[in-house]
C-alpha cells in the first residue's frame, strides 16, 4: 500500500491558512471593540455623571440664568452662540465670596477642566464639518470635547444642558498639562 504524504501536508497547510484567517478576523473585531469601549468609558461614565449632578445642584442655587443669557439665537446684531464656558466667576456669585471659594474648591476636588452651558438640542453639531454658523461651537473647544459634542443629540427638546469636562491623569488625580485623560458628562437642565 502506498502512503500519500503530500496529501496530508496540503491538508495541514489549508487548515493552518483557514485558522490564521479566522484568528485575524477575530483580532480585528476585538481590537475595534476595545477601542470603542475605551472611548465610551470617557463619555457619561457613572462616576462623572454623579459629579456633574452634584455640580448642577450647586450651580442651580446660583445664577445660571445669567450664564444662559450669553447663549443667544442668531439675529442681525449678535453672532450665533450655542455654547458658553462658565466657572466660579464674580458674575455668578455676586457679593458671595464664601460661595465663590466653595465653587473653586469643588472645581479643584472634582478635577474639572471646563464647564459649559448649552442648549439641550445639539443634533445640529453631529454632522458639522465647517467652522461657520452653528459649527463655531466646535472651534471653541479642544478636539476631544468636539468629538463628545458631536455625540450629543437631543433633537426637538427644549431647554439647556450642562457639560462638564474632567481632566485626570492615569492614576485618577487632577491633571493639568499634556498627560491628561479627558472625561465628559452632560445633564439636561430643562428650562432655567
Amino acid at each position: 500500500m502506498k502512503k500519500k504524504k503530500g496529501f496530508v501536508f496540503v491538508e495541514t497547510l489549508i487548515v493552518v491558512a483557514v485558522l490564521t484567517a479566522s484568528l485575524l478576523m477575530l483580532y480585528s473585531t476585538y481590537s475595534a471593540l476595545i477601542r470603542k469601549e475605551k472611548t465610551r468609558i470617557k463619555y457619561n461614565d457613572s462616576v462623572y455623571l454623579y459629579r456633574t449632578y452634584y455640580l448642577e445642584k450647586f450651580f442651580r442655587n446660583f445664577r445660571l440664568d445669567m450664564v444662559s443669557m450669553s447663549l443667544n439665537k442668531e439675529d442681525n446684531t449678535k453672532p450665533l452662540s450655542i455654547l458658553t464656558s462658565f466657572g466660579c466667576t464674580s458674575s455668578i456669585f455676586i457679593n458671595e465670596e464664601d460661595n465663590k471659594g466653595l465653587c473653586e474648591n469643588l472645581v479643584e476636588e472634582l478635577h474639572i477642566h471646563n464647564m459649559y452651558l448649552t442648549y439641550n438640542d445639539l443634533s445640529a453639531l453631529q454632522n458639522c464639518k465647517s467652522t461657520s454658523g452653528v459649527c463655531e461651537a466646535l472651534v471653541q473647544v479642544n478636539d476631544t470635547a468636539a468629538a463628545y459634542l458631536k455625540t450629543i443629540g437631543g433633537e426637538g427638546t427644549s431647554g439647556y444642558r450642562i457639560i462638564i469636562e474632567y481632566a485626570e491623569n492615569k492614576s485618577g488625580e487632577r491633571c493639568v498639562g499634556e498627560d491628561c485623560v479627558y472625561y465628559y458628562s452632560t445633564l439636561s437642565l430643562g428650562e432655567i
Side-chain angles (χ1 to χ4, degrees), residues 102-173:
L102 178 61
C103 177
E104 290 167 350
N105 286 341
L106 276 174
V107 166
E108 183 71 27
E109 291 297 319
L110 296 178
H111 309 160
I112 296 170
H113 189 256
N114 283 312
M115 295 184 279
Y116 301 105
L117 185 70
T118 185
Y119 295 108
N120 211 8
D121 183 1
L122 291 179
S123 57
L125 292 178
Q126 290 177 346
N127 297 318
C128 275
K129 295 198 180 4
S130 69
T131 57
S132 62
V134 75
C135 296
E136 282 184 17
L138 299 179
V139 175
Q140 302 173 35
V141 298
N142 62 33
D143 292 340
T144 54
Y148 177 67
L149 287 172
K150 287 183 177 184
T151 66
I152 301 172
E155 186 173 354
T157 55
S158 61
Y160 298 92
R161 74 173 55 241
I162 186 173
I163 300 169
I164 308 294
E165 178 181 48
Y166 300 93
E168 295 181 346
N169 59 20
K170 293 188 191 241
S171 64
E173 297 169 358

Side-chain angles (χ1 to χ4, degrees), residues 8 16 18 24 48 73-74 86 92 111 125 127 131 133 143 157 164 169-170 181 190:
V8 173
V16 167
V18 168
L24 285 173
Y48 301 105
K73 304 231 186 262
E74 188 171 21
F86 70 98
I92 296 176
H111 309 160
L125 292 178
N127 297 318
T131 57
D143 292 340
T157 55
I164 308 294
N169 59 20
K170 293 188 191 241
V181 178

Side-chain angles (χ1 to χ4, degrees), residues 13-15 22 27-28 61 76 88 100 109 118 124 152-153 188:
L13 285 177
I14 291 172
V15 168
S22 299
Y27 177 74
S28 65
N61 291 327
N76 294 335
C88 303
K100 184 178 177 187
E109 291 297 319
T118 185
I152 301 172
S188 179

